[in-house]
Amino acid sequence: MKFICPAIGQNHEKDFLVCGSPQDFKIIVFSNTEEYKKGYEYLELSDYEPCEVSIELFRELAKNDDEFSGIILDIHSQNKTISKQELLK
């Protein structure tokens, strides 16, 4: 499964759009490019570019980053939180 994430930066130096605190953060993701466009407008983003990311990256974060607490899917419509525990299933 793949998601579209707003990102700033290039290559391996990309920063994703997150919410929460540094000790408990979630990454904002979109289910497809159409939802990304709607969410981009909803969040009034600038300077971010779409980046396709595999669910495997989030599974690795869930295993290895204590501060990462999950992802938020389609924040402008579903606003569904997927916890790190759910990502590891």
Side-chain angles (χ1 to χ4, degrees):
M1 175 178 255
K2 296 196 181 225
F3 299 101
I4 308 296
C5 300
I8 292 179
Q10 298 177 4
N11 301 322
H12 296 289
E13 297 298 320
K14 290 186 180 178
D15 291 323
F16 296 122
L17 185 61
V18 301
C19 64
S21 70
Q23 296 79 27
D24 181 23
F25 70 92
K26 294 176 181 67
I27 298 175
I28 296 173
V29 302
F30 298 95
S31 54
N32 57 51
T33 53
E34 186 62 34
E35 294 300 323
Y36 175 85
K37 290 176 188 175
K38 292 176 187 174
Y40 193 89
E41 289 178 21
Y42 172 81
L43 295 170
E44 299 179 0
L45 299 176
S46 61
D47 300 328
Y48 284 85
E49 296 292 326
C51 175
E52 187 175 81
V53 179
S54 170
I55 195 168
E56 295 306 316
L57 173 69
F58 301 119
R59 287 182 176 146
E60 286 300 314
L61 278 171
K63 288 179 197 172
N64 300 313
D65 191 331
D66 292 337
E67 288 80 23
F68 174 68
S69 60
I71 60 177
I72 299 176
L73 178 63
D74 296 333
I75 193 167
H76 63 290
S77 59
Q78 292 186 53
N79 197 21
K80 179 179 180 183
T81 299
I82 301 172
S83 70
K84 72 189 302 181
Q85 292 79 15
E86 290 174 281
L87 290 168
L88 292 171
K89 290 182 183 179

